[in-house]
Amino acid sequence: MKICLINPPQILNKRFGVPSIFQPLGLLYIAAVLEKQHQVEVIDASLEGWENLKEIGGEYYLGLTIDEIERRIKRIKPNVVGISVPFSINEKIALTIAALAKAIDKDITTILGGAHPSARPNETIAYDCIDFITVGEGERTINELLEKIDRGAYDELSSVDGICYKENNRPILTSPRDWIADI
């Protein structure tokens, strides 16, 4: 499968100051795991667009523009777009990017991971543009989930620990996945 992993631009209310750029380690761990079996491209929209600091309506926007992200997704032509949402403040831009991916190709599978969707999986999965949430550490979960998606084995999703998905428009949260003992 062709997978595009995205660390979204940073948006922060001006009263909190200029957003910081951070290494998206969780996303990079996922990329390292996936590249063993899949073609993976990472868009670090914060780092790649670090010089694009803009003030928009009382907020700072730091990173690649939505148009630049759209062009990259179109060029990559992924089957799956995975978006990191490490903080609740990143939810809005992550949802914007997920909706953008679906607008480019409705068959792109969108997966959100990170602290925010892990803390609020049922609420986050409710958005139409989101297909799956990985809850907690995603390194083992993502391979198992993608294997089911690749085979079209959607009837087996309930056996994948650590995900949230929709069934008949209702959120399904599977059992928690055990933490990785020897990371």
Side-chain angles (χ1 to χ4, degrees):
M1 296 178 81
K2 203 181 260 190
I3 300 164
C4 175
L5 299 176
I6 302 174
N7 181 37
Q10 297 300 307
I11 300 174
L12 193 60
N13 190 296
K14 283 179 60 179
R15 72 175 183 250
F16 298 119
V18 176
S20 298
I21 297 173
F22 59 90
Q23 294 176 328
L25 291 178
L27 194 71
L28 298 175
Y29 292 149
I30 298 298
V33 167
L34 291 177
E35 70 183 3
K36 294 175 183 172
Q37 296 179 332
H38 303 280
Q39 182 180 340
V40 179
E41 291 204 36
V42 175
I43 301 173
D44 187 346
S46 292
L47 178 62
E48 292 181 45
W50 69 268
E51 72 284 356
N52 289 339
L53 179 64
K54 298 178 183 124
E55 292 182 40
I56 303 171
E59 293 179 317
Y60 284 118
Y61 182 101
L62 178 68
L64 295 177
T65 67
I66 294 300
D67 289 342
E68 290 169 317
I69 295 168
E70 178 180 24
R71 282 193 295 276
R72 295 279 295 279
I73 294 171
K74 284 180 176 178
R75 182 186 57 76
I76 295 167
K77 297 180 182 156
N79 306 100
V80 174
V81 168
I83 306 167
S84 178
V85 193
F87 309 106
S88 294
I89 199 162
N90 303 117
E91 181 188 46
K92 182 179 175 185
I93 190 67
L95 293 171
T96 298
I97 293 169
L100 174 69
K102 289 290 190 184
I104 291 168
D105 181 348
K106 66 179 176 37
D107 293 328
I108 290 176
T109 299
T110 55
I111 303 172
L112 263 57
H116 176 76
S118 291
R120 303 182 59 86
N122 291 327
E123 295 85 350
T124 307
I125 197 68
Y127 292 96
D128 290 338
C129 59
I130 307 303
D131 296 312
F132 297 96
I133 304 291
T134 59
V135 180
E137 296 175 338
E139 288 82 358
R140 291 184 303 167
T141 303
I142 195 70
N143 271 329
E144 205 174 315
L145 173 60
L146 290 178
E147 184 269 328
K148 304 280 190 232
I149 292 170
D150 198 31
R151 288 192 302 110
Y154 295 98
D155 59 330
E156 298 175 17
L157 290 172
S158 63
S159 69
V160 179
D161 290 343
I163 64 169
C164 188
Y165 62 98
K166 291 176 268 219
E167 192 171 275
N168 298 321
N169 238 8
R170 296 182 56 220
I172 305 294
L173 181 61
T174 64
S175 299
R177 182 170 293 275
D178 291 336
W179 296 106
I180 299 171
D182 184 9
I183 198 139

